[in-house]
Amino acid sequence: MKNLFVKIAAAGVLMLAPAMAQAAEGYSTANVNMRAGPSTRYPAVAVIPAGSSVEIRGCLSDVNWCDVEFYGGRGWVSGQYVQALYQQRRVYVGPQYYRPLGIPMIRFSVDNYWDRYYRNRDFYRERDRWSRGPDYYNRDRDNRDRDRGRDNRDRDRNWRERDRDRDGRDRDGRDRDRDWRDDNQRGDRQRDDLQRGDRQRGDRQGDDRRGDDRRPDRRDFDCRPGDPSCDE
């Protein structure tokens, strides 16, 4: 009977062992981003320096990403950048080592995980879009960026068109100013020509008057009756 209780207790311990194993010690092999989800498309929450110790809290069964703890923060790192000690040697964390290392296989949910660890992060406000998957979120963001870029291009094109219109108006204004200056210059030249002609006509008329006003020959005044010079 005693042996029966021992066997039952041992079996219970073996059954509870995977549940009791909550973490395994690992080491980062490079300066690697710890992210808010199991993909490089999720936001980065910290950088784990090469050689730093991390606690592996669990890994996904379908992709080689693990939920790790680093200095009290939580996030996801690819298993190809995390090693663990297995049989006196370091191995890269992979599905074949999950059970021997005591690493539980877990699932990831944006809502639950982010509610627990990222409520104070800026990206938490977009949790609903992220919950549809990083590909959906980034595709939506790329579309928004394209729309914003298209709006910027349209705005730039409108500005250029307005600049061309303004240049056209300025050019028309400059042309009008040039025409106005040319008209004034022509008017000034015509006025100068008229004034010059008037002066020339006045000079000729003055010469004519001076010719008419020339004093008669002295003899017309000095000649007296009986003077022999009057007969000349």
Side-chain angles (χ1 to χ4, degrees):
M1 182 65 69
K2 184 177 179 179
N3 291 336
L4 179 61
F5 282 119
V6 171
K7 290 180 180 179
I8 293 174
V13 170
L14 292 174
M15 291 177 64
L16 292 175
M20 293 171 61
Q22 295 295 316
E25 187 176 7
Y27 306 89
S28 63
T29 61
N31 296 332
V32 60
N33 284 319
M34 184 169 68
R35 296 188 175 273
S39 170
T40 56
R41 297 176 72 84
Y42 280 103
V45 297
V47 175
I48 303 176
S52 298
S53 176
V54 297
E55 293 292 325
I56 306 171
R57 294 295 181 178
C59 298
L60 299 178
S61 60
D62 52 345
V63 292
N64 190 20
W65 279 79
C66 296
D67 175 19
V68 303
E69 182 176 351
F70 175 69
Y71 276 99
R74 290 287 287 271
W76 292 80
V77 176
S78 172
Q80 63 181 337
Y81 297 110
V82 178
Q83 288 182 333
L85 189 63
Y86 175 70
Q87 296 181 352
Q88 305 303 316
R89 62 189 179 93
R90 288 188 177 185
V91 296
Y92 282 97
V93 175
Q96 69 273 26
Y97 296 111
Y98 291 170
R99 186 179 295 275
L101 292 172
I103 299 173
M105 286 187 291
I106 59 176
R107 295 181 178 180
F108 172 72
S109 169
V110 167
D111 293 334
N112 295 333
Y113 198 87
W114 286 24
D115 284 344
R116 194 178 306 164
Y117 301 116
Y118 300 139
R119 283 184 174 272
N120 62 337
R121 297 280 185 161
D122 292 338
F123 55 77
Y124 183 80
R125 294 192 300 266
E126 299 182 289
R127 182 180 73 260
D128 293 339
R129 277 204 294 269
W130 279 108
S131 64
R132 302 181 185 181
D135 293 334
Y136 177 88
Y137 173 81
N138 284 278
R139 182 173 63 249
D140 185 37
R141 186 182 62 181
D142 292 342
N143 291 334
R144 293 197 302 271
D145 292 341
R146 277 197 301 272
D147 292 340
R148 186 161 51 247
R150 188 180 303 110
D151 292 340
N152 291 335
R153 289 192 297 273
D154 292 341
R155 186 163 53 249
D156 292 341
R157 184 169 60 253
N158 292 336
W159 277 110
R160 289 194 298 270
E161 290 175 354
R162 283 197 292 270
D163 290 341
R164 284 197 298 270
D165 292 340
R166 186 173 61 251
D167 291 341
R169 289 194 297 271
D170 293 342
R171 187 163 52 252
D172 292 340
R174 290 194 296 270
D175 292 340
R176 286 195 297 271
D177 291 340
R178 185 166 57 249
D179 293 340
W180 181 79
R181 287 194 299 270
D182 293 342
D183 291 340
N184 287 339
Q185 291 174 356
R186 284 195 297 272
D188 292 339
R189 286 195 296 270
Q190 291 175 355
R191 188 164 51 252
D192 292 340
D193 292 340
L194 291 174
Q195 291 176 354
R196 191 179 301 108
D198 292 341
R199 284 197 298 272
Q200 291 175 351
R201 285 193 298 273
D203 292 340
R204 286 196 297 271
Q205 291 175 357
D207 292 339
D208 294 340
R209 283 196 298 272
R210 283 195 297 274
D212 295 338
D213 292 341
R214 281 198 300 272
R215 295 181 62 184
D217 193 325
R218 181 178 298 273
R219 289 174 302 178
D220 295 340
F221 297 94
D222 295 340
C223 181
R224 291 183 175 81
D227 191 341
S229 62
C230 293
D231 296 333
E232 295 181 1

